[in-house]
Amino acid sequence: PPYDLSIYNFRFHPDYRIDRILFREIIGTVTDAVYARRGWNANGVPTIEKLRDLGIDYDDVITIVEKSL
């Protein structure tokens, strides 16, 4: 491909505020995608559906997880 779309070559100078904002946006997007793919919410807590899929949908576990949702 003519363009490198990876973030491996992304570098920024600490004095450039806009680069830091862009970097946070990229990392946030990647983190959200990974969490969603694994069945977690935006805070990294597994969803009730994911607990059921894993077979660990015990009442005490669900009670703890619901407090974090």
Side-chain angles (χ1 to χ4, degrees):
Y3 302 103
D4 184 4
L5 301 176
S6 67
I7 63 169
Y8 295 111
N9 63 355
F10 182 82
R11 293 197 173 110
F12 64 92
H13 191 281
D15 292 337
Y16 294 124
R17 184 174 180 268
I18 194 72
D19 287 345
R20 291 192 311 239
I21 292 169
L22 176 61
F23 185 73
R24 286 186 199 131
E25 185 68 29
I26 290 169
I27 295 300
T29 302
V30 170
T31 302
D32 291 345
V34 169
Y35 283 6
R37 186 174 187 166
R38 292 179 182 243
W40 302 342
N41 70 8
N43 295 322
V45 178
T47 61
I48 302 300
E49 183 177 287
K50 184 64 177 180
L51 294 175
R52 288 188 181 115
D53 291 345
L54 295 172
I56 54 173
D57 55 339
Y58 306 113
D59 292 337
D60 53 344
V61 174
I62 290 178
T63 302
I64 293 169
V65 169
E66 283 178 339
K67 291 178 185 178
S68 300
L69 295 178

